[in-house]
Amino acid sequence: MRATLEDAVYGFDVVPAAIHLAASTLCMAESRQVIRDMNLWRVRHDVANGLPRLGSLDFLPGSPSGGSAARLELLKGEGSVRVTGTGEVADDVATVAMPRQCHLVIANPPYTRAGGPGDEKNTQWNPIFGSLLDATDAKKMQEVLQKTLQRTPASLYAGLGSAFVVLANDTLRIGGRLAFVLPATVLTGSKWKGIRRLLCKQYCIDWVVVSHDSRHRSHTRGLPGRLWVSFSESTRGAEVLIVATMNNNQLEVSQNMVRFVNLVNNPDDPVQAMALTRKLLAMDGEASPFEPQAVAVGGTNWGSLTVIPQKELTDEPWEYTALAQPELVLAAEKISTGRSPALGATKISELGDIAHLGPYHMQVKNPKQGLFTIAETEDDALRAGIPALWHHKATRNTTLESKADARLERRSDKDRAAQDKMLARQGRLHLASELRLAPQRVAAVLTKTPMLGVSSWITLVLKEPAHGKEEALCLWLNSTPGLLLRILNSNRPYLGRSRLPHELARALPVLDVNTLSEAQLEAVAAIYEDLKAKELRGFTDIANDPVRTELNTRLCRDVLDVDPSPVDDLTHKLAKEPTLHARH
């Protein structure tokens, strides 16, 4: 044990307290003898003598201070400071190297990512190096990191977590294993596509574990708040644990089986975690592909295990952990591929194939880039400007038909022709870009007149417009099948949230309204006309909502010509999902 702690274990962090805590925890595992020397180092994370230092990311080969040797200066002094089992001691070594050919790399890296200007107060917002007090230093570090990550699968907009995956990949040996806790968006985010491709091609993905536990601990004095959907102690976002083994044998990779674990309860302590781990390992090898198995320990249901062949995974979103009930995921997968018994021969298409998406909100209202200024108002008569749909409010957006809640005003310092070109992208159909599933009620709305959706809404303009098609798409997006596919194909930054950036919205599987006959479109128009002013209940109460039940029933029976009963069954299952009830 002493030889392992002194010679085999390496650790790096930019926070001194983290290194001290790691040293104490490791030494507690061997109390019979003194651990004199440990390879635990605190590394520079600043701009020193004009040279940006990126902490552990300086180990990346492309780093200006790294290269193939990937050596780092330590944090302090002319003589470096090293953390050992007997405290901090002076060390003549001025730099430290990242070990190569590692057997195991474990990390829970920072998730901060490159952002863009927000409102007038945040025009310089850039959280990727937000801990630095000097904005100039933060900018220099971002520029260096961006160059370092060129020609790698990592992305500044995915965040620092993706860079640490690349670092682990660079240091692992064949047969070595990485075990990372990352934001849950790694499974679906468009900016994480390169990381998913890397894992699919060069690794046997062993475990993908996600929690759907909706419990939370409120912030108290001296103790940060916590959501149990995360694995980190004080993180509030949704997280995923990924364990994968590096493998250069493509046949073995293609034949690998990936174990997706959906937890409905997150372990509260190490004893529960160990019991759950033993249970999962005991189940390994017994599960059949695509057949979910319950994970029960001591009479407690912890969730489910679903085994999926790795050849089924690509760099596209991995949806098998989007819901706590894997059978719902598999049902949605059949709907999206047109193989669902519930919907028969219903044709499904990607949203981007049948509709143009409106402008990104920063193109509309950003203080620097935007072509317009915007003001919130519902007063049609007194506020001048161009009507727009801006905020999504559960108390206001209660029906399928919506009205403008803001006004756009042209900026005199922007080109008028560019403004007219953007206004030409106005439309009547608007997709909610982010849903807070518990309080909100609609996933898409129609407005009486064309306008731009901003921030909370993405405007959709059909490529082949016809009477009834917009109504058909609006009804579909608010139906149970539409909501189910939306949850599976969106980002889940928090439990209870469903975020659709433009990249994911274009790939969203939806009803192909171009295949509907005139009679079907007439039926759709009649349904919409009957329901457009009726208030829907929140998604939390989806199974008991008479308006949504009528929407589902009439859409199935009068338009798609299928039995509504299977969709009703899906509705009752979906109503039990934790993500519909979490208010995070």
Side-chain angles (χ1 to χ4, degrees):
M1 175 64 78
R2 176 178 174 179
T4 299
L5 294 178
E6 291 186 350
D7 300 325
V9 175
Y10 285 73
F12 308 92
D13 207 294
V14 300
V15 180
I19 292 296
H20 282 287
L21 181 61
S24 300
T25 303
L26 289 170
C27 286
M28 287 171 62
E30 180 51 86
S31 58
R32 294 169 298 178
Q33 51 188 325
V34 175
I35 308 301
R36 299 188 180 281
D37 297 305
M38 301 181 73
N39 288 295
L40 302 179
W41 306 90
R42 44 183 185 161
V43 289
R44 297 197 72 123
H45 184 253
D46 57 14
V47 177
N49 300 320
L51 177 65
R53 308 311 300 260
L54 305 176
S56 300
L57 294 180
D58 266 341
F59 290 131
L60 288 165
S63 169
S65 52
S68 58
R71 301 183 68 83
L72 286 170
E73 293 180 4
L74 297 183
L75 185 65
K76 277 189 177 182
E78 299 176 358
S80 303
V81 174
R82 189 180 190 187
V83 179
T84 74
T86 55
E88 287 187 346
V89 299
D91 198 307
D92 293 334
V93 179
T95 58
V96 59
M98 181 80 173
R100 299 291 166 174
Q101 298 294 304
C102 293
H103 293 83
L104 174 66
V105 177
I106 301 173
N108 182 0
Y111 301 160
T112 52
R113 62 186 184 87
D119 55 25
E120 287 81 357
K121 296 179 181 179
N122 294 305
T123 56
Q124 300 299 326
W125 181 59
N126 176 32
I128 194 165
F129 293 115
S131 61
L132 299 181
L133 298 178
D134 192 319
T136 303
D137 286 354
K139 184 177 181 181
K140 288 180 180 178
M141 292 176 70
Q142 177 170 328
E143 290 172 351
V144 167
L145 181 58
Q146 187 169 17
K147 292 179 181 178
T148 299
L149 296 180
Q150 287 178 353
R151 294 180 293 280
T152 77
S155 165
L156 287 180
Y157 292 97
L160 292 177
S162 67
F164 277 90
V165 174
V166 171
L167 176 58
N169 180 70
D170 188 56
T171 58
L172 278 170
R173 62 186 296 168
I174 300 299
R177 181 170 284 181
L178 64 81
F180 270 53
V181 173
L182 293 167
T185 49
V186 65
L187 303 177
T188 55
S190 58
K191 302 303 182 184
W192 285 94
K193 201 169 189 177
I195 297 298
R196 291 195 295 272
R197 185 184 305 120
L198 171 70
L199 293 174
C200 283
K201 289 186 175 181
Q202 298 185 29
Y203 289 81
C204 287
I205 305 169
D206 302 313
W207 299 89
V208 179
V209 185
V210 165
S211 173
H212 300 266
D213 195 329
S214 59
R215 292 178 296 163
H216 69 280
R217 180 185 69 206
S218 300
H219 170 80
T220 58
R221 186 173 183 179
L223 187 68
R226 183 198 170 187
L227 303 182
W228 258 259
V229 69
S230 64
F231 298 115
S232 306
E233 167 57 25
S234 57
T235 299
R236 301 187 64 82
E239 294 181 326
V240 57
L241 169 65
I242 296 179
V243 180
T245 304
M246 181 177 279
N247 196 321
N248 61 353
N249 187 321
Q250 289 303 304
L251 179 61
E252 291 183 10
V253 170
S254 64
Q255 294 177 344
N256 183 55
M257 306 299 286
V258 185
R259 307 152 189 87
F260 286 91
V261 179
N262 288 286
L263 299 176
V264 293
N265 292 297
N266 218 353
D268 291 326
D269 54 57
V271 175
Q272 289 183 344
M274 288 299 297
L276 177 59
T277 301
R278 290 192 184 99
K279 178 64 175 181
L280 289 170
L281 291 175
M283 295 174 64
D284 188 22
E286 298 177 357
S288 300
F290 303 104
E291 293 184 9
Q293 284 193 320
V295 181
V297 180
T300 299
N301 175 38
W302 291 92
S304 63
L305 167 67
T306 308
V307 175
I308 303 295
Q310 185 161 326
K311 63 184 179 182
E312 297 290 327
L313 303 182
T314 66
D315 56 10
E316 295 304 314
W318 303 348
E319 70 272 22
Y320 298 102
T321 56
L323 297 169
Q325 302 171 80
E327 58 269 24
L328 273 181
V329 177
L330 299 175
E333 190 176 60
K334 291 181 179 179
I335 293 174
S336 65
T337 55
R339 298 181 288 110
S340 171
L343 295 181
T346 301
K347 300 294 183 183
I348 303 296
S349 177
E350 289 189 359
L351 182 58
D353 291 338
I354 62 176
H356 297 289
L357 273 62
Y360 183 51
H361 69 91
M362 291 179 66
Q363 298 172 309
V364 181
K365 69 175 184 67
N366 180 265
K368 288 188 175 181
Q369 306 167 10
L371 301 180
F372 300 89
T373 58
I374 189 169
E376 185 174 11
T377 178
E378 295 183 60
D379 194 320
D380 293 328
L382 299 180
R383 182 80 190 200
I386 303 162
L389 196 62
W390 187 6
H391 294 301
H392 187 174
K393 294 185 177 180
T395 55
R396 181 171 62 201
N397 299 109
T398 62
T399 62
L400 298 177
E401 184 176 79
S402 185
K403 65 177 184 178
D405 62 1
R407 293 295 183 273
L408 296 175
E409 296 181 0
R410 295 176 185 266
R411 289 178 53 170
S412 59
D413 60 336
K414 298 295 181 179
D415 181 60
R416 188 176 182 88
Q419 294 170 339
D420 290 340
K421 186 177 181 181
M422 182 173 289
L423 292 174
R425 301 168 69 183
Q426 294 179 114
R428 292 181 58 236
L429 179 59
H430 310 276
L431 171 68
S433 61
E434 180 172 353
L435 286 183
R436 298 191 178 203
L437 292 162
Q440 292 176 340
R441 313 176 189 209
V442 289
V445 296
L446 274 167
T447 51
K448 289 184 178 180
T449 58
M451 61 186 67
L452 285 181
V454 183
S455 192
S456 296
W457 302 95
I458 301 174
T459 299
L460 305 176
V461 179
L462 296 180
K463 295 180 179 180
E464 300 178 22
H467 174 68
K469 286 186 178 181
E470 289 177 322
E471 289 82 356
L473 198 49
C474 182
L475 292 178
W476 170 267
L477 291 168
N478 285 289
S479 70
T480 293
L483 182 62
L484 188 57
L485 291 179
R486 186 235 161 80
I487 293 174
L488 256 68
N489 291 275
S490 62
N491 281 336
R492 188 185 69 148
Y494 304 93
L495 189 64
R497 304 283 185 91
S498 172
R499 180 176 293 169
L500 271 178
H502 277 55
E503 295 88 346
L504 292 181
R506 289 189 183 92
L508 177 66
V510 297
L511 173 66
D512 189 346
V513 296
N514 293 331
T515 64
L516 300 181
S517 66
E518 288 188 14
Q520 288 174 306
L521 293 175
E522 287 295 334
V524 162
I527 297 170
Y528 176 78
E529 194 63 28
D530 291 344
L531 300 183
K532 67 179 183 181
K534 294 183 178 181
E535 283 198 2
L536 290 98
R537 297 183 184 179
F539 293 114
T540 302
D541 206 20
I542 187 174
N544 303 309
D545 185 349
V547 178
R548 204 174 308 270
T549 299
E550 183 179 354
L551 188 160
N552 282 333
T553 301
R554 294 179 66 180
L555 182 63
C556 290
R557 185 188 62 208
D558 301 345
V559 180
L560 304 180
D561 193 26
V562 296
D563 181 5
S565 298
V567 171
D568 188 53
D569 292 340
L570 286 177
T571 303
H572 282 81
K573 288 182 179 179
L574 184 59
K576 299 176 182 179
E577 279 295 320
T579 195
L580 261 66
H581 300 269
R583 294 178 179 269
H584 296 158

